[in-house]
Amino acid sequence: LILYNKYLFNKVYNLAKDDYNRFCFMLSAYNGGYGWLLKDILLCQQTKGCNPYEWFDNVEKYSLRKNYKMYGRTPFDINREYVRNIMKIRYKRYEKWWLKTYQSVPSLNPAGD
């Protein structure tokens, strides 16, 4: 798991503007597939006002998987919930590691959630 996430983080490194967004992209790729993440970024690039280098309120809003339902939920909903749960809801669990690694947490929870 760790090696695969490191692999994905390196693959998305140039796709995101900073480490916070790289982690969001990595998590989305882990949960929903790297190919789907690339398609979501491309869709964002083609949409006026969408920043393809940022996850929240940008790439997270766009996907071709929005209408395909599985057990009452779409893969889009599941994937977006996965990233939000880790980066916004459960981020406190990772805060000590983040501080140790990056010396600050200004971007860990930018929305203040």
Side-chain angles (χ1 to χ4, degrees), residues 68-85:
Y68 175 74
K69 287 203 175 191
M70 224 166 94
Y71 308 109
R73 299 182 69 206
T74 66
F76 171 82
D77 294 331
I78 294 165
N79 182 259
R80 280 13 186 213
E81 180 181 53
Y82 181 78
V83 177
R84 183 168 293 281
N85 275 341

Side-chain angles (χ1 to χ4, degrees), residues 88-99:
K88 297 274 188 179
I89 296 170
R90 294 182 165 92
Y91 77 93
K92 282 283 188 192
R93 291 182 181 180
Y94 311 103
E95 193 170 34
K96 286 181 185 176
W97 172 84
W98 193 274
L99 281 169

Side-chain angles (χ1 to χ4, degrees), residues 5-78:
N5 278 340
K6 180 179 179 185
Y7 166 78
L8 289 172
F9 185 84
N10 290 332
K11 282 189 75 114
V12 303
Y13 193 86
N14 292 324
L15 301 177
K17 74 174 196 167
D18 55 28
D19 283 339
Y20 181 80
N21 285 286
R22 287 179 190 108
F23 276 103
C24 293
F25 285 15
M26 176 199 73
L27 292 168
S28 177
Y30 170 77
N31 180 260
Y34 179 71
W36 277 109
L37 172 66
L38 293 179
K39 291 176 186 178
D40 297 347
I41 291 171
L42 182 61
L43 194 56
C44 177
Q45 285 175 334
Q46 297 169 347
T47 304
K48 187 178 179 176
C50 186
N51 183 344
Y53 301 101
E54 292 184 10
W55 178 257
F56 288 108
D57 296 321
N58 289 284
V59 175
E60 77 162 330
K61 291 183 173 183
Y62 300 93
S63 181
L64 299 173
R65 299 178 286 175
K66 280 187 169 184
N67 297 320
Y68 175 74
K69 287 203 175 191
M70 224 166 94
Y71 308 109
R73 299 182 69 206
T74 66
F76 171 82
D77 294 331
I78 294 165

